Each structure stands twice: as structure tokens, then as C-alpha cells.
Amino acid sequence: MPHPATAQRVPSSLANRYGSSQSKFSSWSRGRKVLLWAAIALVVLSFVSWLTFGRGPGADNKLIGFTVLSPSQTTVDFQVTKDPASTAQCEVQALDDSYAVVGWKVVTIGPNGQEQGTEHGSTTKQRIALLTDSLAVSAVVDSCWIVKNS
């Protein structure tokens, strides 16, 4: 059984050898710690707000279907909902059975008249042909975004 005096000396000798186990921030005042957490919360809130609102109006898409015509061509049908006066671009992909991209295209959808599509021109159907490197078994509309006029 260790002697009580020896047991108390071991932690202090470890602290002498390896340094104090207290963190660098443990000496900070409570107010300083609160300010640090408030700053971190503000940065996180700003980032989430930018993701939600800061990127401007977007373009929504919905895959309607696809048809594999041959090992070298697939057609993709999808619809895009956006402000009729805006121009959008959508990234469309054809995938093989291991989810590798075998066909890829960025499609530009220009402004629509109110008589085009549905919802006064907000939603329009698109059909595109993708050239593929090998047989596709699936197709996706990866994303759509509004193009800024410069």
C-alpha cells in the first residue's frame, strides 16, 4: 500500500515534469469567456443567415424523368421554377451503375414570358440531350442557380 505522502507527491511531480493541467483559458475571467462565446455564436449565426438569405433568389428544379437512348446518349426531362425575368443555369448529370458521372451539361434557361409554362411563366419544362461516355442508368439535376447579369 502506497504511503499517503507519496501519493500526494506524484501528481505534483507529474505537473512539474509535464506542466500544469490547467488550460490556457481557465485563467480568463467570466466576462471574457462570455464575450468569446458570444463572438462564436455571432459568426455561426451570420454564416447560417448568409446560407439562407444572402445568396439571393434561387431556382428550384424537379426531375421529371430520363430516357437512355443508347450507350452514348440520354435525354433528361425536368422543370425549373424561378422568377420569369431571371436567367438560370442548371447542372444536369447522367450516372452509371456505380454513380460515376458519364454525361454532364450546364443548361441555360433564359427569361420566360407569362404565357410560357405554368404559374405565369415561373415554372417551365426542359428537355435536354446528354452525350454519355458509357451506358447511363440514372440522371439527376444536380443544382440550379440564378445567373447575375453583369
Side-chain angles (χ1 to χ4, degrees), residues 15-139:
N16 289 338
R17 181 180 293 174
Y18 299 111
S20 174
S21 63
Q22 293 182 354
S23 77
K24 177 175 163 175
F25 301 107
S26 64
S27 63
W28 284 17
S29 68
R30 178 170 158 64
R32 197 176 222 186
K33 290 177 186 176
V34 168
L35 283 175
L36 175 66
W37 282 110
I40 291 170
L42 183 63
V43 168
V44 169
L45 182 64
S46 298
F47 179 70
V48 170
S49 296
W50 175 79
L51 284 176
T52 305
F53 306 110
R55 297 189 291 180
D60 294 326
N61 67 76
K62 180 180 178 184
L63 180 68
I64 296 171
F66 64 93
T67 305
V68 178
L69 301 173
S70 70
S72 62
Q73 189 173 15
T74 299
T75 60
V76 182
D77 296 313
F78 63 102
Q79 68 184 24
V80 177
T81 302
K82 63 177 184 60
D83 175 23
S86 298
T87 299
Q89 288 186 324
C90 296
E91 179 183 351
V92 183
Q93 299 175 350
L95 309 172
D96 68 8
D97 58 355
S98 64
Y99 302 106
V101 177
V102 294
W104 179 85
K105 190 179 221 180
V106 174
V107 181
T108 301
I109 298 105
N112 311 329
Q114 287 193 354
E115 69 284 349
Q116 291 177 307
T118 60
E119 301 171 15
H120 302 289
S122 292
T123 301
T124 56
K125 290 183 181 177
Q126 308 294 319
R127 173 174 279 175
I128 63 151
L130 286 177
L131 296 177
T132 56
D133 296 331
S134 61
L135 185 67
V137 298
S138 181

